[in-house]
Amino acid sequence: MNLFQLRAFDAVSREGSFTRAARRLCISQPAVTGHIKALEERYDLVLFRRTARSAELTPQGQALAELTGPLFGLVERAEDLLEANRNLVSGRIEIAVDSPHIVMPLLARLRARHPGIVVGLLLGNAAETREALLAERASVAVLTEAQAHPDLHLEDIAVSRICAVLARTHPWAGRGELDPKDLDGVAMVLREPDSVTRRTFDRACAARGVRPDVLMELDSREAVIEAAAAGIGVGIVSSLECGHDGRVAAIPLTGPDLTNRHAIACLARRRTLRLIRTVFDLARADR
């Protein structure tokens, strides 16, 4: 059995892409393709369904991935043990986040402390970010309202408040806070229903009998801010996502049920890996 071929397979199964697997292994894409082809030909099976944009595991591939994932996870732990006394002068870590605003100060501290570490940032909503961590496409994730999971180690790092965002010309722009009841019947532009921010807002509205007039459902916080800046309607964002856009005002909504917790997470079995420990230590330092 050729371990180079198995490592190439494991990388493609984690990344879902030959290109990203090659980047992960620091080899060429043709080399990855060659390893997979040789493995499939030797054992007369098909491990992936190739499409123009991704590589999907076949049932045989899925069964093999369930073995190679833990196998190469142990290899990474062995490598970390052997390198325990060496300074973090190089390396790469994939971090998945559902809000880049929360993680950027952490990445700045990591860059200042260990400039040789390269960070791959994976952006998605809360569900996509959690799945990237569980599928080992990322080593660390920053999650909003993360639910406990037996395979995950979680530590809270921040709390944000739900804010109304509206154009600077709006009559409410100078207010210090808003009661959610003020939004009853108000024209609004909101994130998609699966967004954590949207779910928190919807629950608070339901508890108060508030029915906003939803004009648009948008798939990013940037789109919500742009729509609010254009005066289309009042948007809803997290206080950590507001930034410093002079075109809009972000006004906190009152109420104990209008906050979100943010946590840093990793796979529990990988929490002792040196680079992951370093990221967690830096995250704790900012609390």
Side-chain angles (χ1 to χ4, degrees):
M1 182 175 292
N2 188 312
L3 287 179
F4 290 105
Q5 294 170 2
L6 280 182
R7 186 179 279 277
F9 165 80
D10 181 68
V12 177
S13 69
R14 293 190 194 195
E15 297 292 341
S17 162
F18 282 70
T19 300
R20 292 195 295 271
R23 191 180 306 125
R24 183 188 188 106
L25 297 175
C26 299
I27 62 176
S28 68
Q29 181 177 334
V32 173
T33 302
H35 284 315
I36 300 300
K37 182 178 179 182
L39 189 61
E40 290 178 327
E41 289 179 350
R42 179 174 181 179
Y43 294 101
D44 192 23
L45 45 71
V46 176
L47 297 171
F48 296 101
R49 300 185 192 93
R50 280 84 159 174
T51 68
R53 300 181 62 183
S54 66
E56 299 177 357
L57 288 165
T58 64
Q60 291 172 312
Q62 182 62 49
L64 182 59
E66 290 174 3
L67 298 175
T68 62
L71 171 65
F72 288 107
L74 287 173
V75 170
E76 291 172 0
R77 291 176 65 181
E79 291 173 345
D80 186 75
L81 177 64
L82 294 171
E83 294 284 346
N85 294 320
R86 182 176 294 183
N87 291 329
L88 287 170
V89 295
S90 64
R92 179 183 176 91
I93 187 168
E94 307 292 335
I95 300 179
V97 300
D98 57 16
S99 176
H101 302 78
I102 299 172
V103 79
M104 287 305 170
L106 169 61
L107 297 186
R109 293 194 298 277
L110 179 62
R111 174 68 181 171
R113 187 78 60 87
H114 303 288
I117 300 300
V118 176
V119 176
L121 198 62
L122 308 178
L123 300 175
N125 61 29
E128 292 167 342
T129 300
R130 184 172 182 268
E131 176 57 29
L133 183 59
L134 289 170
E136 298 190 48
R137 294 193 298 274
S139 296
V140 173
V142 176
L143 303 167
T144 301
E145 292 298 325
Q147 299 299 312
H149 188 284
D151 293 336
L152 296 182
H153 171 68
L154 297 160
E155 293 186 18
D156 287 340
I157 57 172
V159 176
S160 63
R161 175 158 290 280
I162 303 300
C163 293
V165 59
L166 39 86
R168 282 287 179 186
T169 56
H170 195 283
W172 293 346
R175 294 178 62 171
E177 60 183 21
L178 283 173
D179 189 306
K181 293 180 180 179
D182 294 336
L183 299 174
D184 191 39
V186 170
M188 300 196 71
V189 288
L190 302 177
R191 290 287 304 277
E192 71 278 12
D194 288 340
S195 159
V196 174
T197 300
R198 171 72 182 275
R199 292 203 304 266
T200 301
F201 176 68
D202 284 350
R203 284 195 299 267
C205 286
R208 295 164 174 80
V210 173
R211 294 186 178 182
D213 180 14
V214 181
L215 300 183
M216 290 185 179
E217 292 184 339
L218 304 168
D219 63 0
S220 72
R221 61 192 61 86
E222 292 80 10
V224 169
I225 291 173
E226 288 299 322
I232 296 173
V234 175
I236 293 294
V237 297
S238 161
S239 59
L240 298 178
E241 301 169 346
C242 298
H244 303 286
D245 192 327
R247 301 172 301 162
V248 297
I251 304 174
L253 298 182
T254 60
D257 54 347
L258 282 156
T259 59
N260 285 137
R261 298 176 301 107
H262 306 276
I264 188 168
C266 68
L267 291 177
R269 60 182 171 79
R270 303 186 71 195
R271 62 184 292 189
T272 59
L273 293 179
R274 179 166 44 98
L275 188 48
I276 292 176
R277 289 201 313 268
T278 297
V279 174
F280 269 71
D281 288 344
L282 291 172
R284 294 186 197 106
D286 194 44
R287 284 187 296 188

